[in-house]
Amino acid sequence: MKVTAIGTGYVGLVTGACLAEMGNHVMCLDVNPDKIAVLKAGEIPIHEPGLLEVVRRNVAAGRLQFTTDVDQAVQHGTILFIGVGTPPDEDGSADLQYVLAAARSIGQRMTDYKVIVDKSTVPVGTADKVRAAIAEELARRGADVAYAVVSNPEFLKEGAAVEDFMRPDRIIVGSDDEQATLMMRALYAPYNRNNDRVMVMDVRSAEFTKYAANAMLATRISFMNELALLAEKLGADIELVRRGIGSDPRIGYQFLYAGAGYGGSCFPKDVKALVRTGQENGQDLLVLAAVEAANERQKRVLSDKVLARFGEDLAGRHFALWGLAFKPNTDDMREAPSLVIIDELLRRGATLSVYDPVASQEAQRLLAGRPGIAFVERAEAALPGADALLIVTEWKEFRTPDFDTIKAQLKNPLIFDGRNLYEPTLMKTLGIEYHGIGRGAPV
């Protein structure tokens, strides 16, 4: 099939590359010439494990192209995926300006039947707005061209997006057009060889499913973070509690890890947008409002522990910080807890040496001009002379560090672990003062 992917961010680029991998001829469009230049040079503008290899392989095979030419991109694809950003507006609602701009661009140029697919995470009712925008442009041209608008939300985890696309656990298709539904089934047939993962439903239910899924996962995280705060008061260990409740098949183990709060491009934005949607429809979503509030508080828990240990004035204090990205295997810094922690420590007068395997460049861009931060190229290089080590992102390389080196390099053998990577009893044995999240009293 001929496919166009509009947008070359996490959603559009992964979608385009993975569809090309299955033999489709895909053209990826972006209005940002810098992104397209990077892609044409054989690189990718984001960090996503495995994606670069897929892109290069399919470019070499002639199945994947990149362009800034909107006319060419619209004419190329019979199926056009809209995978542009939907950033939060000032009131928390999703900003649809880029989605609707893409829809209008399609309506201004299409000359034959198209299936327009909303791949971005969008509020319920967006397909109606996309359909109306295209109809308005067609009417302005005096053109009578058939088309369908489909909702096909993505369920891609940053850091595992290629694997998630190639081996999906479900493929949601919201469609009320029989021809469009058949085309979407044909497009996704290669991903369904073992069993049919396609779930066809009405468009509004498909749009809602994406928000509901992210809201549920965010709820589990905030729920465990709240329990972790109480566990510290009670002297209980939240990791043992997690194992205890996770063994119940009705609950399961996923997304039950207490930590320094969630971030990224999805959970914070989507929870806000769903809360706003509820308000617009006269339905207060009390649980999700609490999820959001709990997460904002949780992002300050690690810095609060530092203040409790060293006092409110951190002038003259120096800290090592490992992990800047909001999660491992990505360089995404959007809504990252590390930014909140860094801001608070700097505000209190501390200085920092920070390390992340892939996100340092993005962090330097975001923190440009902030005095008191030194970026280092190795985890160990952040340690010398620091009053303590803070761990904010659970990169694999942090799981089994050389604790003798940590003790020798730090002023004090002291770790604030925002991801509960280490066992308190082991830290006590090693002579390291350890502050985890919900692990009972510090050891």
Side-chain angles (χ1 to χ4, degrees):
M1 288 188 180
K2 288 189 174 182
V3 176
T4 293
I6 302 173
T8 57
Y10 282 96
V11 176
L13 185 57
V14 171
T15 297
C18 290
L19 288 174
E21 183 80 348
M22 289 300 185
N24 299 288
H25 290 266
V26 180
M27 182 173 289
C28 291
L29 167 71
D30 204 295
V31 296
N32 185 336
D34 293 336
K35 280 189 175 183
I36 296 301
V38 168
L39 289 162
K40 285 186 173 181
E43 301 298 329
I44 58 176
I46 57 176
H47 179 86
E48 184 59 46
L51 180 59
L52 179 60
E53 293 77 9
V54 176
V55 168
R56 287 177 173 174
R57 183 163 57 242
N58 285 281
V59 168
R63 292 188 298 266
L64 184 60
Q65 301 171 261
F66 304 103
T67 186
T68 58
D69 188 329
V70 181
D71 291 325
Q72 182 187 25
V74 172
Q75 293 307 317
H76 171 83
T78 302
I79 301 178
L80 293 87
F81 285 87
I82 298 177
V84 297
T86 54
D89 217 333
E90 290 183 4
D91 62 1
S93 61
D95 184 349
L96 297 178
Q97 63 171 309
Y98 305 112
V99 171
L100 296 180
R104 284 190 288 271
S105 293
I106 294 168
Q108 290 161 4
R109 295 167 174 83
M110 59 187 289
T111 57
D112 56 359
Y113 179 78
K114 304 287 187 186
V115 177
I116 296 94
V117 184
D118 285 334
K119 195 68 174 173
S120 302
T121 300
V122 293
V124 175
T126 298
D128 295 336
K129 295 179 180 179
V130 167
R131 190 179 292 111
I134 295 171
E136 183 179 325
E137 294 300 331
L138 289 174
R140 185 175 287 118
R141 293 167 50 202
D144 183 14
V145 183
Y147 65 97
V149 177
V150 169
S151 175
N152 175 220
E154 54 86 12
F155 295 95
L156 307 176
K157 300 186 295 292
E158 289 187 35
V162 173
E163 177 71 14
D164 286 346
F165 197 101
M166 301 301 287
R167 294 177 177 81
D169 47 25
R170 78 283 205 195
I171 300 167
I172 304 295
V173 175
S175 173
D176 55 11
D177 183 286
E178 184 176 356
Q179 182 178 352
T181 302
L182 290 173
M183 292 178 69
M184 294 298 290
R185 283 192 175 278
L187 183 67
Y188 282 117
Y191 308 92
N192 285 296
R193 298 191 67 183
N194 292 332
N195 63 289
D196 188 5
R197 297 177 176 86
V198 174
M199 301 180 187
V200 179
M201 59 185 69
D202 64 273
V203 175
R204 285 182 168 246
S205 293
E207 291 171 332
F208 197 16
T209 297
K210 169 62 177 179
Y211 274 106
N214 280 355
M216 172 59 79
L217 297 176
T219 299
R220 287 169 67 94
I221 294 170
S222 281
F223 175 73
M224 287 303 290
N225 282 336
E226 287 236 287
L227 292 187
L229 299 181
L230 181 58
E232 290 185 1
K233 303 288 187 182
L234 300 175
D237 187 335
I238 198 64
E239 270 296 294
L240 301 179
V241 174
R242 180 187 67 81
R243 294 173 204 167
I245 65 175
S247 62
D248 186 329
R250 297 169 300 175
I251 298 174
Y253 290 104
Q254 296 216 349
F255 287 84
L256 287 185
Y257 290 91
Y262 61 75
S265 64
C266 294
F267 289 1
K269 172 176 68 71
D270 293 352
V271 169
K272 285 184 175 71
L274 197 51
V275 169
R276 180 62 182 173
T277 297
Q279 293 169 346
E280 291 171 349
N281 289 273
Q283 183 63 58
D284 289 336
L285 301 182
L286 303 180
V287 171
L288 290 186
V291 166
E292 182 182 6
N295 188 61
E296 290 305 307
R297 177 177 65 180
Q298 198 69 20
K299 289 182 179 182
R300 300 184 177 280
V301 165
L302 206 62
S303 54
D304 286 346
K305 288 178 179 290
V306 172
L307 295 174
R309 173 65 172 75
F310 288 101
E312 300 287 322
D313 184 1
L314 297 179
R317 297 290 185 181
H318 181 70
F319 297 99
L321 188 146
W322 287 357
L324 296 164
F326 87 93
K327 62 178 286 188
N329 299 319
T330 182
D331 60 351
D332 197 339
M333 291 287 297
R334 284 174 287 186
E335 301 281 348
S338 63
L339 294 174
V340 176
I341 295 165
I342 289 170
D343 183 70
E344 180 65 11
L345 297 183
L346 292 178
R347 191 175 68 84
R348 299 282 184 169
T351 57
L352 296 161
S353 292
V354 301
Y355 167 76
D356 190 283
V358 302
S360 288
Q361 184 174 348
E362 178 64 9
Q364 289 182 59
R365 184 185 70 82
L366 293 173
L367 296 167
R370 296 292 301 272
I373 309 176
F375 291 87
V376 298
E377 296 183 358
R378 294 180 301 104
E380 293 79 6
L383 300 173
D387 289 282
L389 167 64
L390 283 69
I391 299 175
V392 185
T393 311
E394 64 273 32
W395 287 95
K396 287 181 179 179
E397 67 178 86
F398 302 157
R399 293 185 180 276
T400 53
D402 185 335
F403 290 110
D404 288 336
T405 297
I406 291 174
K407 287 182 63 177
Q409 295 290 326
L410 293 177
K411 280 185 182 177
N412 311 291
L414 173 56
I415 295 176
F416 294 92
D417 184 356
R419 298 299 173 184
N420 288 343
L421 298 185
Y422 313 131
E423 284 300 318
T425 52
L426 173 62
M427 296 298 99
K428 185 175 183 178
T429 300
L430 294 174
I432 296 175
E433 183 182 339
Y434 180 73
H435 299 255
I437 307 293
R439 306 304 302 271
V443 299

